[in-house]
Amino acid sequence: MTFSTSELLLKYASYGDAKGKIRRLVASGGLIPVARGVYENDRATDPIWLAPWICSPSYLSFDYVLHIHDLIPEAVVVYTCATCGKRHSRTCTNAFGTYTFRDVPLQAFAQGVEARTAEGRSCLVASCEKALCDKLYTLSPVRNISSLEALLFEDLRIDEEAFWALNLEDLKALAPLYHSTNLDRLARMIARRRK
């Protein structure tokens, strides 16, 4: 289970030195530091449940989600997350893994995201379409649709058949929310394919 420092201080309030109790639990391995003021007591916890504790609001997206949907071939060892209004990227490494957090536009933030829950834990995860839009938003602008196709199918190594199997209506609906050259080109590429 994940705890904040304030929750632990309440839990151990009957001890003469609650902060000392927390330090001893960390030293003995009974508590694992996750981020400043956040601790986990189960080493077997799936790291995805810890992302919202490290930085909130956030959701899993970018390369991590593209990989779990088999859209990109590379294994992803970092839990990539989207945030909003933080104005800078952030990285956190702990015993469970490395987490990166990067802003997306406010208009796009809550769209295409679903809650996952299990055993009293929850986190937000982007749809595959949303993760692709988030990824394209963070990359340098391309000049034209041909350059976007090269970016998608050569640089990112997205399987072309898997790309065209995505929900194209969702991609078209999400793209304008980013006010991004890459996403504008994506919407035009989809529209051109449908003609």
Side-chain angles (χ1 to χ4, degrees):
M1 186 164 188
T2 312
F3 300 94
S4 67
T5 300
S6 57
E7 289 171 322
L8 290 171
L9 290 172
L10 279 173
K11 183 176 179 175
Y12 299 119
S14 62
Y15 286 76
D17 180 13
K19 288 183 181 179
K21 173 69 174 171
I22 295 168
R23 281 193 300 274
R24 287 189 297 279
L25 284 169
V26 169
S28 70
L31 285 175
I32 305 126
V34 172
R36 184 176 179 170
V38 179
Y39 302 88
E40 174 60 45
N41 68 356
D42 181 2
R43 288 195 180 277
T45 294
D46 187 331
I48 68 167
W49 306 122
L50 301 176
W53 285 86
I54 297 169
C55 186
S56 184
S58 68
Y59 59 86
L60 290 152
S61 188
F62 305 109
D63 296 18
Y64 176 77
V65 171
L66 295 175
H67 173 69
I68 63 173
H69 286 281
D70 295 323
L71 203 62
I72 58 173
E74 285 77 19
V76 176
V77 295
V78 174
Y79 298 93
T80 52
C81 305
T83 58
C84 184
K86 304 296 182 192
R87 297 187 183 155
H88 64 278
S89 298
R90 176 179 173 195
T91 300
C92 173
T93 301
N94 57 42
F96 297 92
T98 298
Y99 299 77
T100 61
F101 299 87
R102 185 163 187 171
D103 268 2
V104 296
L106 177 61
Q107 266 189 303
F109 183 77
Q111 306 302 315
V113 177
E114 65 179 33
R116 292 220 181 139
T117 58
E119 300 174 15
R121 295 178 182 263
S122 66
C123 69
L124 297 173
V125 181
S127 67
C128 192
E129 293 78 9
K130 175 65 181 289
L132 179 60
C133 290
D134 287 348
K135 178 70 176 176
L136 290 174
Y137 172 74
T138 65
L139 298 175
S140 297
V142 294
R143 290 188 306 272
N144 51 43
I145 292 174
S146 296
S147 298
L148 178 64
E149 289 173 338
L151 173 67
L152 290 169
F153 307 128
E154 294 169 25
D155 298 346
L156 295 177
R157 295 176 37 190
I158 291 173
D159 179 74
E160 199 165 343
E161 190 175 315
F163 172 83
W164 291 111
L166 292 173
N167 185 324
L168 302 180
E169 291 304 314
D170 282 358
L171 284 171
K172 279 176 44 183
L174 287 166
L177 302 175
Y178 290 84
H179 303 287
S180 157
T181 300
N182 287 346
L183 277 300
D184 291 344
R185 302 260 190 272
L186 179 69
R188 286 202 280 156
M189 183 175 109
I190 292 167
R192 187 173 78 175
R193 169 83 174 214
R194 295 201 147 177
K195 287 182 181 177

